[in-house]
Amino acid sequence: MQDQTAIITGAADGIGWAMAQGFAEAGYRVLIADLDGDKAASRAAELGTAHAGAAVDVTRDSDVTALAELADARFGRCDVLVNNAGIADRHLPTLEQDMEHFGRVLDVHLKGTFMMSRAIGARMIAAGSGAIVNIGSIAGVSGMPRRNAYGAAKAGIVSMTRAMACEWAGQGLRVNAIIPGYVETALVRALIAEGKIDADRLRRRIPMGHLAQPGDIAAAALFLVSGQARYITGTTLTVDGGWSAFGDSGDASSG
Ligand code: NAD
């Protein structure tokens, strides 16, 4: 992986940061792209001088263009893109949801994934190879009350993954999505602290009896971009401890 590069959005924290660490350990040069530019820079410094951090709002076309140009200047190639940046729904009843937040959730996940893929995909097509990993959610494949925008955005990401995978398969690109279950990150810890998620009930709903660690999702991303996955494109890889496989009544585990 000496010269290979990975651009990971939302990588200053949570799952993205675990991915940045995992890809760096695997030998990739990593570009940490995050809304929080200072944290992105300090995280990159933590990884070492081969890596870079940059401020980007994935909903802004000009930010995305600037990021792609920075990747050109700094690395000169784009082998991997992970579209990971995300924000949570407010978990409000449908009748109380405001359109501003609804729009922002759709923009960060759906528009952000589209614009990043378009900018970096163009460079991968020119090079004749590349792998894109998008981050979905179990909220996008099953009905979760109070998560209209988040669920719809994540379902849209899966649809877009399939469309881009089919369009770009002949040009050497692979596009796949990971469907994480519940992962112990700041995003989920905040929902638990606000009483929007009951951690004990949640653990009992998961057949494996515990939440994922961010590194579990990073491991799946490393697999999807690796040579071992060379014939895999347009797929979704569920990493949820059995959450979506469970269909019985009652608890799935003792938690
Ligand atoms: P997190 O809040 O810990 O980290 C998200 C990162 O994204 C932050 O560093 C934040 O600054 C950045 N970000 C937010 N908006 C951005 C924007 N507009 N442009 C660039 N960066 C932006 O969240 P996480 O739990 O690590 O989630 C990462 C991804 O995984 C998200 O797409 C989320 O929807 C998805 N996901 C998380 C879980 C979970 O249980 N944590 C489950 C399923 C899917």
Side-chain angles (χ1 to χ4, degrees), residues 10 14-15 34-35 56-58 84 109 136 150 154 181 183 185 187-188:
I15 294 169
D34 202 284
L35 198 55
V56 65
D57 181 343
V58 295
N84 165 79
H109 292 277
Y150 186 80
K154 292 303 198 184
V183 189
T185 65
L187 185 146
V188 163

Side-chain angles (χ1 to χ4, degrees), residues 9-17 33-36 39 56-59 83-88 104 108-109 135-139 150 154 157 178-188 211 214 217:
T9 67
D13 211 342
I15 294 169
W17 171 230
D34 202 284
L35 198 55
D36 187 338
K39 200 165 176 185
V56 65
D57 181 343
V58 295
T59 70
N83 286 307
N84 165 79
I87 57 171
R104 181 70 186 166
V108 173
H109 292 277
I135 306 299
S137 166
I138 50 175
Y150 186 80
K154 292 303 198 184
I157 283 174
I178 296 172
I179 310 283
Y182 287 89
V183 189
E184 274 198 55
T185 65
L187 185 146
V188 163
L211 279 69
I217 313 304

Side-chain angles (χ1 to χ4, degrees), residues 70-126:
L70 174 73
D72 289 342
R74 182 71 200 261
F75 296 143
R77 57 188 289 167
C78 298
D79 301 284
V80 167
L81 166 66
V82 185
N83 286 307
N84 165 79
I87 57 171
D89 246 333
R90 288 184 175 142
H91 292 225
L92 291 170
T94 297
L95 302 187
E96 292 171 28
Q97 288 172 21
D98 68 273
M99 293 318 295
E100 197 185 325
H101 193 66
F102 188 96
R104 181 70 186 166
V105 171
L106 284 182
D107 279 356
V108 173
H109 292 277
L110 211 45
K111 194 172 151 190
T113 295
F114 177 77
M115 290 200 305
M116 283 297 304
S117 300
R118 189 177 58 174
I120 304 305
R123 286 153 171 86
M124 290 174 169
I125 288 168

Side-chain angles (χ1 to χ4, degrees), residues 2-29:
Q2 204 55 36
D3 294 320
Q4 302 244 332
T5 67
I7 301 173
I8 307 171
T9 67
D13 211 342
I15 294 169
W17 171 230
M19 287 186 185
Q21 291 171 287
F23 275 82
E25 273 166 31
Y28 285 85
R29 287 177 292 160

